[in-house]
Amino acid sequence: MKNKLIALSLLLLSFVPAKALEEFEHEIESTVFVPKGVWVGGVSVSYSQSTQNNYQFFVLEHLKGDTYSFKVSPMVCYIFKDDMGAGGRFAYTRSLTKLETADIVLDAETEVNMENLYRLSHDYYFTGIFRNYFSLNSSKRFGFFNELQLQLGGGQSKLMQGKGTSLTGNYERNFSFDVGIAPGLAVFLNNYSAVEVQVGVLGFSLRDTKTITDQVYVARRKAMAANFYINLFSINFGVSFYL
């Protein structure tokens, strides 16, 4: 009798119309970090200088000379859509190395001596950029951005060694093409200025260099490279203004 009641109950339930399932929608909150129509401008400047006088470090001995490097990079970007912008960046770098003496001592019988080394280089870079911003936990003060970079550059350098009749030198001209992705962090200090930290992650580079030695010999070399890792040597700090 009990089994018959259970079977009858299941039969009756089969005729009861199932309740329509309610539609479910994800409520994802979207916070605009940089609104449309904003101009972003900034500049980063770096300078370093060092002087050595009879300096010793591991295999280097009797190092005497001085070096300096300088880099300036202005940037402008227009936000054509909420959290999306496009623009460009220009960079100029200059470095100088003057080495009077240096000894590389590997062991008691292996020693390399260098004297009167002079190197000066200038490089110029033009970069087209595309940026995509997004806020950190709906914050309007802290946010991330991803920057796609397309860079063309070139420069020249000269290297001289020795003096008098033993003087020899190289003159180089180079051209470079780079494509990369550089994510970063933006921290707004107020409504119009922010501090940015940026690091290169992915990239492809092509470099073509022409070398003239002693104004007689001509050589050329090409190099291509692709990297898919975080490049700690490409970390950049700068200040940007949002107007």
Side-chain angles (χ1 to χ4, degrees):
M1 184 66 179
K2 183 177 180 181
N3 293 335
K4 291 182 179 181
L5 291 175
I6 294 176
L8 182 60
S9 299
L10 294 175
L11 182 62
L12 292 174
L13 289 174
S14 65
F15 289 100
V16 177
K19 185 179 179 181
L21 295 177
E22 296 181 358
E23 294 184 359
F24 176 76
E25 296 181 357
H26 292 280
E27 295 182 359
I28 300 177
E29 183 180 356
S30 178
T31 301
V32 176
F33 191 65
V34 182
K36 176 183 177 181
V38 172
W39 283 92
V40 183
V43 62
S44 60
V45 179
S46 63
Y47 176 81
S48 63
Q49 182 177 3
S50 63
T51 301
Q52 298 82 27
N53 187 8
N54 201 25
Y55 181 73
Q56 297 186 15
F57 181 76
F58 286 106
V59 297
L60 288 176
E61 295 184 3
H62 308 110
L63 182 61
K64 186 177 181 181
D66 58 84
T67 63
Y68 84 84
S69 63
F70 170 76
K71 179 180 179 181
V72 58
S73 179
M75 181 269 291
V76 63
C77 178
Y78 177 72
I79 307 301
F80 62 88
K81 185 179 178 181
D82 288 346
D83 293 334
M84 290 187 182
R89 178 184 289 113
F90 170 76
Y92 168 74
T93 63
R94 174 187 172 95
S95 62
L96 174 66
T97 300
K98 292 182 180 179
L99 183 64
E100 296 183 16
T101 60
D103 298 332
I104 302 177
V105 182
L106 301 179
D107 52 46
E109 298 180 354
T110 306
E111 182 176 344
V112 180
N113 306 105
M114 293 184 295
E115 294 182 347
N116 301 313
L117 181 66
Y118 176 92
R119 185 180 188 276
L120 176 66
S121 66
H122 306 265
D123 292 287
Y124 310 85
Y125 302 98
F126 299 90
T127 307
I129 62 174
F130 172 79
R131 278 192 175 190
N132 185 18
Y133 291 87
F134 54 96
S135 63
L136 178 61
N137 194 24
S138 301
S139 172
K140 291 190 176 182
R141 182 174 294 273
F142 300 91
F144 292 100
F145 64 87
N146 193 26
E147 184 175 291
L148 176 63
Q149 302 174 341
L150 178 64
Q151 178 176 277
L152 294 174
Q156 58 184 356
S157 64
K158 59 181 179 180
L159 172 66
M160 295 184 294
Q161 186 174 8
K163 60 181 179 179
T165 57
S166 63
L167 179 65
T168 182
N170 294 337
Y171 174 77
E172 289 187 350
R173 295 187 64 89
N174 64 78
F175 169 79
S176 62
F177 170 76
D178 299 89
V179 179
I181 297 177
L185 171 67
V187 180
F188 275 85
L189 305 177
N190 52 46
N191 291 334
Y192 305 103
S193 62
V195 176
E196 296 183 354
V197 182
Q198 197 172 7
V199 60
V201 176
L202 305 177
F204 170 80
S205 62
L206 171 65
R207 190 175 182 90
D208 185 2
T209 304
K210 180 180 179 181
T211 305
I212 302 175
T213 302
D214 296 334
Q215 298 183 354
V216 177
Y217 306 101
V218 179
R220 195 161 197 159
R221 67 179 185 272
K222 293 183 179 181
M224 292 185 295
N227 55 61
F228 301 93
Y229 57 87
I230 297 176
N231 187 359
L232 297 179
F233 294 99
S234 68
I235 297 178
N236 294 316
F237 297 87
V239 177
S240 296
F241 300 93
Y242 293 73
L243 306 174

